[in-house]
Amino acid sequence: MKRTPAQLLKNYLFIMLGSALYALAFDAFFVPNSVAFGGVTGLAQIVNFFLPKAPVGTLVIVFNIPLFLLGWRLLGGHMLVSSLAAMTVSSLFIDLIPLFYEFPPMEDKLLACIFGGVVLGIGLGIIFLQGATTGGTEIVARLLKLKLSWLPLGKLLLIADLVVVALVAVVFRNINTALYGVVALYISTLVMDWALYGMDNAKVAYIISDRPEAIARVIMDELDRSVTYLQGEGGYSGQSKRVILCAFKQRQIVAIKETVRQVDPNAFMIVTTSHEVLGEGFGSYHNEV
């Protein structure tokens, strides 16, 4: 869908905000407290350890060039432009912030992990919501999501980042650096998934009962949730069955279970977590993330 100039301006302002938060997390919480950072920025940290005169932000730009070429071929031109903007701004901020103020280490490194992870997760969430990345493992995670669409983006990013965190621990010869980094990265993925998918993950129930119409009627009338009938067949009995498919908010799970129990105590119900449900009563359609 073609964006208007006003929409593009809004997108890039949010990208700048997210990129600034990304750099702030790195300079304020990770570097002064010796917490391992994942992704290409973590690899830049390693090179900077051996070549102190090589700025981390500049190294990030250099390392990202081949990844962006790959991302452009597989993910499209819009993502390339917006991601180049995010990567450039975040890299510049990483190098510029220390020139104006060097953050002192915190007395409690665990607090640095927690708040660093929160700031990092918010920054990445804002960037991803605009259809961009900061490059590096974020591009790798998006490429993996093309094949593993059922996995949240934050979890895919965590896997890629953990590999880099392990390398940082080997180079710095400090297991605590890596362990603190794992804590921070895990928190950042939780916050990022919250920013992308919302706190109230939806649930999906599959209900098999001899009284499907009665259960469906109560769900629709009393819980204001729509249902869909799927046609099933018992593997043992061979009997035709109506399977109720119902998506609902996480906070409604107790009410759904109680409704099914009251109408048919012998009903078979499977409840699964859905990271995103779009349509009436749930989220609206935005850019894919």
Side-chain angles (χ1 to χ4, degrees):
M1 184 177 66
K2 190 175 181 179
R3 293 171 172 82
T4 65
Q7 289 174 328
L8 286 173
L9 177 61
K10 180 181 177 182
N11 287 347
Y12 282 99
L13 286 176
F14 274 111
I15 287 174
M16 290 184 65
L17 173 61
S19 300
L21 290 174
Y22 179 95
L24 180 65
F26 180 78
D27 286 328
F29 298 102
F30 285 78
V31 172
N33 297 286
S34 300
V35 177
F37 202 88
V40 169
T41 307
L43 293 176
Q45 260 189 309
I46 295 174
V47 175
N48 177 259
F49 176 78
F50 293 107
L51 301 172
K53 292 186 178 180
V56 172
T58 303
L59 291 170
V60 169
I61 294 175
V62 173
F63 291 159
N64 267 303
I65 292 174
L67 289 173
F68 271 108
L69 292 176
L70 178 62
W72 170 70
R73 293 182 66 86
L74 295 178
L75 298 173
H78 168 70
M79 184 182 179
L80 173 68
V81 176
S82 58
S83 297
L84 276 172
M87 183 268 294
T88 302
V89 173
S90 61
S91 300
L92 289 174
F93 272 120
I94 284 175
D95 286 344
L96 289 175
I97 289 176
L99 297 179
F100 294 94
Y101 182 77
E102 288 194 10
F103 290 88
M106 299 177 66
E107 294 183 5
D108 189 339
K109 285 191 176 183
L110 185 58
L111 287 177
C113 293
I114 294 172
F115 286 96
V118 169
V119 175
L120 177 63
I122 294 174
L124 288 175
I126 292 173
I127 292 170
F128 284 6
L129 280 172
Q130 309 310 312
T133 78
T134 56
T137 49
E138 287 88 350
I139 290 181
V140 174
R142 280 187 176 271
L143 296 177
L144 289 174
K145 191 168 175 62
L146 293 177
K147 298 293 184 182
L148 304 171
S149 58
W150 51 275
L151 275 176
L153 195 61
K155 301 300 186 295
L156 290 170
L157 186 58
L158 177 63
I159 295 171
D161 281 337
L162 284 176
V163 176
V164 178
V165 168
L167 290 175
V168 173
V170 172
V171 171
F172 285 82
R173 297 182 181 179
N174 188 341
I175 188 64
N176 288 338
T177 295
L179 293 177
Y180 282 125
V182 170
V183 172
L185 285 173
Y186 181 71
I187 292 173
S188 71
T189 59
L190 293 179
V191 174
M192 185 177 67
D193 281 340
W194 165 78
L196 292 174
Y197 306 112
M199 293 184 66
D200 191 14
N201 286 343
K203 297 289 185 180
V204 175
Y206 298 89
I207 305 167
I208 304 172
S209 169
D210 293 329
R211 304 185 63 195
E213 290 83 2
I215 292 176
R217 180 52 54 193
V218 175
I219 291 175
M220 289 187 289
D221 291 346
E222 297 186 9
L223 301 179
D224 195 28
R225 283 294 158 204
S226 181
V227 303
T228 299
Y229 290 121
L230 305 178
Q231 194 61 40
E233 181 179 325
Y236 180 78
S237 66
Q239 294 181 347
S240 178
K241 292 278 188 180
R242 263 187 162 186
V243 180
I244 299 172
L245 169 65
C246 178
F248 55 93
K249 295 292 187 179
Q250 184 167 281
R251 59 181 177 271
Q252 293 180 302
I253 187 170
V254 174
I256 292 285
K257 290 167 65 177
E258 185 62 21
T259 294
V260 174
R261 186 191 68 81
Q262 289 180 356
V263 177
D264 183 4
N266 296 318
F268 186 78
M269 182 169 66
I270 302 172
V271 179
T272 63
T273 297
S274 178
H275 290 284
E276 192 167 21
V277 178
L278 302 177
E280 186 176 354
F282 292 91
S284 57
Y285 289 89
H286 298 293
N287 294 330
E288 285 294 322
V289 292

